[in-house]
Amino acid sequence: MPAGEYEFVVVANRLPVDMTVEDDGSLSWERSPGGLVTALAPIMQKNGGAWVGWSGKAGLEHDPFDAEGIHVTPVTLSAQEIADYYEGFSNGTLWPLYHDVIVPPEFHRNWWNAYVAVNRRFAAAAAEAVAPGGTVWVHDYQLQLVPSVLRLLRPDVKIGFFNHIPFPPVEIFAQLPWRRQVVDGLLGADLVGFQRPGDASNFLRAVRRLTDLQVRGPQVTMPGHWSRPDRQVRAQAFPISIDSAAFDELARTPDVIARAKQIRKELGSPEILLLGVDRLDYTKGIRHRLKAFGELLEDGQLRVPEATLVQVASPSRERVEQYQLLRDEVEVTVGRINGDFGTLGRAAVHYMHHSYPATEMAALYLAADVMLVTSLRDGMNLVAKEYVAARSDLGGALVLSEFTGAADELGQALQINPHDIAGTKATIMRAITMDAREGRRRMRSMRRRVMQHDVQRWADDFLGYLAMSVPSERESV
């Protein structure tokens, strides 16, 4: 396959821009606000980078174009492919499987066939874009077959893969009928990155169990073919982060500080403001959080209007049945708690099922006395890091599930097992009553970690390790 002209190519399910079709049929775009874009944009602009991804709209075809120094290469997906590859295999099979089977995954051959076809299309687009000897960084569970396909098409390039969600124990992963194909797909990369050391270990155990390849420490030896020598694949943890300095700066602005005070006033100036911020997803433990809060009200340990919970649950995958059921259950639970414990003009739970801009989120973090992160399984959970980055005042307390990647780094958070409702209740009360000096000490320690290990350092660490790898075809020259 002929080589492209871009030294650094990112392959992700979504493009770094949001594309809009205007009434006259023309296309406009604006840059996406995500952390991944923030981290990689400077590298791509400096080195002449291309980004391969889906526009987010069915059937939208568009030629590659340049946006803020990034060459954008759209991959077109039909409505049926979105249903089978994205909503189906990615989010109906892999997502629940990789999150400890919190809900049962579904295994459908037509979903798998669509996943294979779409991954091949992404790989082909990357192969056309990357320059000889260039670097391709593939992202996340939707594209686990891309590394091996790309390796066949362009053995001269360096290939990295980063899995943003957990990788399950082999006993769970083995349920997947196409388990070997997924492992082989990931082994097309030179470096496979994960959020936690346990995820990297799970992947290496899967390689040992499902293949006859040699595994020593973090490395897997891929045997050479013909003139190509053996190749080493490294699996390692690279915990992702946020643009800490930017979020810290945002939370210090007078407008955000004023808005935080206004939020508390609008809520009736409660003595205790608890906050939950999540996508509406069954992995986030929202039901467990509501149960613990409801029982604290029932026990009389907390009372309305002195205490209130603000729950932001941004919409997520609303066409998937499990998410529709979760929304119904959460809304019924919120209604019951408010019916039982709310007072006239003062709700026990303020529930918002929509997204907010970064300025409003920073104000909410600054207003909250206690941040509740109760995920049942989470690759990282960047909300926990955003809360810490926002608290330059050293106020607030973070209650954090031990089943998040963030728990490995934020050891001074008050950690919980969200399945233990009694333990969660006790920890929430500890956060509320914690001595101010202890609270400041804990927050100072967490802020030191978050501010030093930001998203740019994450990208630099991963790409630094990837740069040390040598593609097999280059070795054979």
Side-chain angles (χ1 to χ4, degrees):
M1 173 172 282
E5 58 182 289
Y6 299 96
E7 294 292 334
F8 182 55
V9 175
V10 170
V11 186
N13 181 61
R14 291 295 298 270
L15 290 171
V17 296
D18 294 323
M19 299 171 64
T20 302
V21 181
E22 305 295 348
D23 293 338
D24 61 0
S26 64
L27 285 173
S28 62
W29 58 267
E30 61 180 17
R31 181 167 158 176
S32 301
L36 185 63
V37 181
T38 300
L40 299 183
I43 302 171
M44 305 183 83
Q45 291 160 350
K46 178 180 178 182
N47 299 324
W51 191 303
V52 175
W54 169 47
S55 68
K57 295 178 174 59
L60 179 60
E61 296 187 25
H62 197 273
D63 294 332
F65 61 95
D66 293 326
E68 296 186 2
I70 299 173
H71 186 72
V72 176
T73 302
V75 173
T76 302
L77 298 181
S78 68
Q80 189 61 54
E81 286 172 329
I82 294 167
D84 292 342
Y85 146 77
Y86 182 68
E87 295 171 354
F89 195 79
S90 294
N91 293 318
T93 301
L94 293 176
W95 181 270
L97 186 74
Y98 282 30
H99 287 85
D100 292 353
V101 196
I102 295 171
V103 302
E106 298 181 36
F107 305 113
H108 300 294
R109 283 169 288 182
N110 60 314
W111 287 3
W112 165 251
N113 291 337
Y115 186 81
V116 172
V118 170
N119 271 246
R120 287 174 176 168
R121 197 177 309 154
F122 273 83
E128 289 181 9
V130 65
T135 297
V136 179
W137 193 359
V138 186
H139 287 269
D140 226 0
Y141 64 104
Q142 303 98 339
L143 302 173
Q144 291 176 107
L145 307 183
V146 168
S148 63
V149 178
L150 182 59
R151 175 72 56 192
L152 292 173
L153 297 173
R154 294 293 305 278
D156 61 300
V157 304
K158 296 175 184 176
I159 304 171
F161 181 92
F162 187 78
N163 197 56
H164 291 256
I165 69 173
F167 195 89
V170 66
E171 293 81 7
I172 291 178
F173 180 71
Q175 295 179 34
L176 183 67
W178 307 279
R179 58 200 187 182
R180 177 62 191 264
Q181 292 95 316
V182 169
V183 167
D184 288 343
L186 293 172
L187 289 173
D190 299 293
L191 177 63
V192 185
F194 299 92
Q195 299 281 25
R196 310 179 79 173
D199 297 324
S201 297
N202 286 343
F203 172 68
L204 292 167
R205 284 187 62 218
V207 174
R208 290 191 189 95
R209 177 79 65 87
L210 302 174
T211 77
D212 57 1
L213 298 171
Q214 183 184 74
V215 180
R216 287 189 175 178
Q219 299 205 134
V220 181
T221 299
M222 302 294 292
H225 297 284
W226 298 100
S227 62
R228 295 176 186 169
D230 291 353
R231 182 172 62 86
Q232 301 298 320
V233 179
R234 185 180 185 90
Q236 184 173 322
F238 296 90
I240 198 171
S241 192
I242 62 171
D243 188 351
S244 314
F247 211 88
D248 173 60
E249 182 179 356
L250 176 64
R252 293 174 185 263
T253 59
D255 286 350
V256 168
I257 294 171
R259 175 59 183 150
K261 294 177 181 177
Q262 183 183 7
I263 287 171
R264 292 193 72 105
K265 186 176 181 180
E266 289 175 357
L267 293 171
S269 301
E271 296 176 13
I272 303 157
L273 174 55
L274 299 102
L275 175 65
V277 175
D278 313 88
R279 281 188 311 104
L280 188 59
D281 192 290
Y282 50 76
T283 65
K284 301 300 183 181
I286 298 173
R287 290 171 294 191
H288 297 64
R289 181 183 315 157
L290 291 172
K291 182 174 179 59
F293 181 63
E295 288 192 10
L296 286 171
L297 294 173
E298 187 176 347
D299 297 344
Q301 297 185 68
L302 295 178
R303 300 180 187 277
V304 179
E306 288 83 4
T308 192
L309 168 64
V310 172
Q311 176 61 59
V312 177
S314 58
S316 176
R317 301 167 189 162
E318 295 192 293
R319 290 173 55 179
V320 179
E321 182 182 6
Q322 290 287 354
Y323 290 79
Q324 296 169 355
L325 295 173
L326 173 65
R327 178 178 179 178
D328 291 344
E329 186 175 346
V330 167
E331 291 179 353
V332 167
T333 302
V334 169
R336 180 186 58 78
I337 293 174
N338 282 334
D340 289 346
F341 302 106
T343 61
L344 194 60
R346 295 288 184 268
V349 181
H350 296 265
Y351 173 73
M352 279 79 75
H353 182 57
H354 50 88
S355 301
Y356 287 97
T359 51
E360 185 74 357
M361 293 312 307
L364 279 167
Y365 293 143
L366 205 55
D369 300 299
V370 180
M371 182 79 209
L372 302 177
V373 178
T374 57
S375 306
L376 308 181
R377 191 80 163 94
D378 227 333
M380 177 52 62
N381 194 285
L382 296 179
V383 164
K385 293 187 175 184
E386 288 178 350
Y387 180 70
V388 170
R391 300 308 301 245
S392 61
D393 62 347
L394 303 184
L398 175 61
V399 174
L400 179 62
S401 167
E402 64 189 65
F403 303 122
T404 63
D408 290 352
E409 299 181 83
L410 304 180
Q412 289 300 310
L414 298 177
Q415 296 197 11
I416 58 166
N417 171 1
H419 298 283
D420 176 8
I421 300 299
T424 299
K425 290 164 57 180
T427 305
I428 292 173
M429 292 307 300
R430 182 184 174 194
I432 290 170
T433 59
M434 187 164 52
D435 176 73
R437 182 179 301 177
E438 180 184 356
R440 288 193 298 271
R441 176 182 60 79
R442 288 176 177 272
M443 187 60 71
R444 185 181 293 110
S445 174
M446 291 189 288
R447 280 182 55 81
R448 188 179 302 117
R449 173 72 188 189
V450 169
M451 300 306 293
Q452 292 176 354
H453 294 79
D454 63 1
V455 70
Q456 193 61 58
R457 179 166 174 174
W458 165 77
D460 291 344
D461 285 350
F462 185 95
L463 293 173
Y465 268 92
L466 182 57
M468 292 187 290
S469 66
V470 183
S472 56
E473 184 150 297
R474 183 175 292 178
E475 286 182 345
S476 64
V477 173

